[in-house]
Amino acid sequence: MFLLAKDTVKFAVLVGLSAIFIDAVIAHGLFWDNDPYWTYWITKSFLITSVFLFGTAFLGIGILPGLILTAVHTAILEIYYQWLAPVGLPQEPEWLDFNHLWVTGVPAHFLAIFTGYLLALWLWRRNHPAQRIERAETWHFAVYGLVTTVLIVVVDGVLTQMVLLRDFPGITFFVQHILIGFVFVCAWTAYAGVGRTGWIVGSLMLALVWTAYNMYLGPRGLPLRPPTYSGYDDLWWRSFPGALVSALLGWWLGGYLMKRRRKLEWTGVAMVLLFVAVALDPVFGQTLPVEKGTNALLASARASGQGIRVVGPDPTDLKNTQPISGDISIETSEMGNRWSHVQNTDGMRVTATFTSGGARYEVMVDKPMPRHPLGQYTTWSGVVYDHEMHGDGHRYGQTADDEARDRAMGLGNREARRTSHRCDGACACHGKQRRSADAGNHA
C-alpha cells in the first residue's frame, strides 16, 4: 500500500514520534535505565523520520516494509553512534561501548523502533482508508527532497563553512544537517508546494531550523575532535545568512534538476566530487572556534595580600570566614554568554596559594561549571561579565548587591599540607575585565 506525498510525510512523522516514545520509555527507561540526553533524542527522531519517509515512498506501508526499514534504521543508528557521535550531548559527551551498541543495542533498538512502527501503522489504518496510489508519485517526491537537501548542504559546506567560517565542522555535522534538512524539505514541499514563494519562505525557515539546532544541540568537530558549539557571532552573522543563501540556491537548483531528471546521474557524481574537494581543501582544516576568532572576551586578574576564606558546609556563608594571606591569579574566556546550562564552552584557569590557620593551601581551578552539581545556586554558565552576583532570587540574598566585572564558577583541585583531594564546591572569582593586561583585584 503506497501513500500520497502528504500522507507519506504524516506517516513518517507518526512513526518517528511513536518509535522515539517506545525507545525512551522501554529501551532506555526500563531496559538500560539511562538518559542519552537531548541531542540524542532530537537527532534520532529526525533519523527515524528520514529513514521511514524515504523508504515508505519506495516500499509503501505494511509489516514487511516495516521490518526492512527498521533493520536499515538500526544499522544506521549503531554505525552513527559507533563512529560519528557520542551520547550525552550537549552536556557531557560519552562514547558508547561495544556492549551497549552491538550486543544489547541492536535487539533493543530494533524491537523498540519496530514496536513504534506497528503502533503508527495500527493508528494509520484505523483513520485512513486504503487507496490505490502509484509508487512513482511519491518516488519522485522523495527523490526531489533528498536531491534538494544534499544540494543545500553542499552549497552550505562551501559558502558557509569554507568561505565564511573557514572551518571544517566535521562529518557528523553534515550528517545531522542532511537528516534535518531532508525531513524539513519533504514536509515543507508537501504542504507549501514547489512554487517560488513556497521554496523562498522554506529556505528562510530551514536556515532558522539549522541555526536553532546548532545553537542548542548541534556540535561542531565530531568525530575527529572534541565537540564545540558556535558563539553568537558565528551563529547569527555567518551561519544563518550563509544557510539562507545556501538554501535559496540549493532549493532552486533542486527544482531545476528535477525538471531535467536525465541529468541526475551526472549531477550526483558532481556533488560527490565537490563534497570531497571541500573536505580536502587545506584552508578548510579543523581549527577550534576559540583559535579562529569567535570574539571570545578575555579577562585576567591578579591579587596578593590579606583576604578571607569561607569555612563550613555553606560556601556562600560570608559570616563564617577565616583570614588568609596569599596570592591569586585568574584568567577567563567568555565564549558568547549564551545562557545555556548544559553547554560548557567557557574557559578559566584560577591559581591560588595562601596560608590560613597554620596550613598552606594550593588551589587550581580549570573546569568551568555550566551548572552547580547540586543545583543549589546559579553558576552563570561558567564565566560571565557585568552580571550581579547578589540580590533577590539568589542564595546570596542575605548580602548586599555586588557588581564585580568578572565571575567564574568552576571545579578544581586543592592541596593542604600533604593531603590532596577534589573540591566539592564552586570557586567564585572576582576580577576586573581586561583584554590584554592583567589587573590587580581581590578574590
Side-chain angles (χ1 to χ4, degrees), residues 230-434:
S230 299
Y232 182 90
D233 286 350
D234 277 356
L235 279 171
W236 292 105
W237 295 109
R238 297 177 180 88
S239 295
F240 171 69
L244 176 58
V245 175
S246 300
L248 289 170
L249 292 175
W251 215 316
W252 170 82
L253 187 58
Y256 176 83
L257 292 175
M258 284 304 294
K259 295 177 182 178
R260 295 159 176 79
R261 298 188 183 95
R262 295 180 180 179
K263 299 180 180 180
L264 284 180
E265 294 182 2
W266 293 105
T267 302
V269 174
M271 285 192 298
V272 170
L273 294 176
L274 178 60
F275 211 73
V276 172
V278 168
L280 296 179
D281 195 318
V283 303
F284 207 40
Q286 296 189 40
T287 54
L288 294 175
V290 69
E291 297 174 349
K292 57 190 274 295
T294 53
N295 297 317
L297 292 177
L298 306 179
S300 61
R302 300 179 188 273
S304 60
Q306 304 299 315
I308 60 173
R309 72 183 183 98
V310 177
V311 297
D314 186 356
T316 67
D317 184 8
L318 298 182
K319 296 181 180 180
N320 190 10
T321 61
Q322 289 183 355
I324 64 172
S325 176
D327 58 80
I328 186 171
S329 172
I330 306 169
E331 298 177 356
T332 58
S333 173
E334 202 275 311
M335 293 294 295
N337 196 22
R338 294 177 51 191
W339 287 98
S340 174
H341 296 282
V342 295
Q343 294 177 6
N344 197 345
T345 60
D346 295 334
M348 65 181 298
R349 179 178 295 275
V350 178
T351 304
T353 304
F354 60 89
T355 57
S356 177
R360 178 179 175 82
Y361 297 86
E362 293 183 0
V363 179
M364 170 67 75
V365 180
D366 56 6
K367 182 180 180 181
M369 293 172 55
R371 60 175 182 160
H372 188 267
L374 301 180
Q376 292 182 340
Y377 54 88
T378 181
T379 64
W380 310 284
S381 303
V383 175
V384 70
Y385 305 137
D386 299 316
H387 188 73
E388 292 186 0
M389 178 176 179
H390 306 307
D392 296 335
H394 301 288
R395 283 196 64 188
Y396 307 104
Q398 300 296 324
T399 61
D401 289 345
D402 187 341
E403 296 183 358
R405 299 289 300 281
D406 177 1
R407 311 187 189 290
M409 304 292 294
L411 292 173
N413 296 317
R414 180 184 67 185
E415 292 188 6
R417 299 181 184 234
R418 296 183 179 179
T419 303
S420 177
H421 63 277
R422 188 75 177 175
C423 289
D424 294 328
C427 175
C429 306
H430 300 228
K432 196 93 170 175
Q433 181 180 342
R434 290 290 185 272

Side-chain angles (χ1 to χ4, degrees), residues 5 35 39 59 67 89 158 204 347 350-351 373 385:
D35 178 12
T39 299
L59 302 179
L67 288 170
L89 294 171
V158 176
L204 173 62
V350 178
T351 304
Y385 305 137

Side-chain angles (χ1 to χ4, degrees), residues 38-89:
W38 285 108
T39 299
Y40 174 91
W41 299 123
I42 302 300
T43 306
K44 185 174 180 178
S45 297
F46 278 101
L47 173 60
I48 297 170
T49 306
S50 296
V51 171
F52 283 90
L53 196 161
F54 191 79
T56 300
F58 286 86
L59 302 179
I61 63 175
I63 302 298
L64 182 59
L67 288 170
I68 296 174
L69 295 178
T70 302
V72 172
H73 164 269
T74 303
I76 295 175
L77 178 71
E78 306 307 325
I79 292 172
Y80 178 81
Y81 282 102
Q82 172 75 59
W83 287 289
L84 295 180
V87 298
L89 294 171

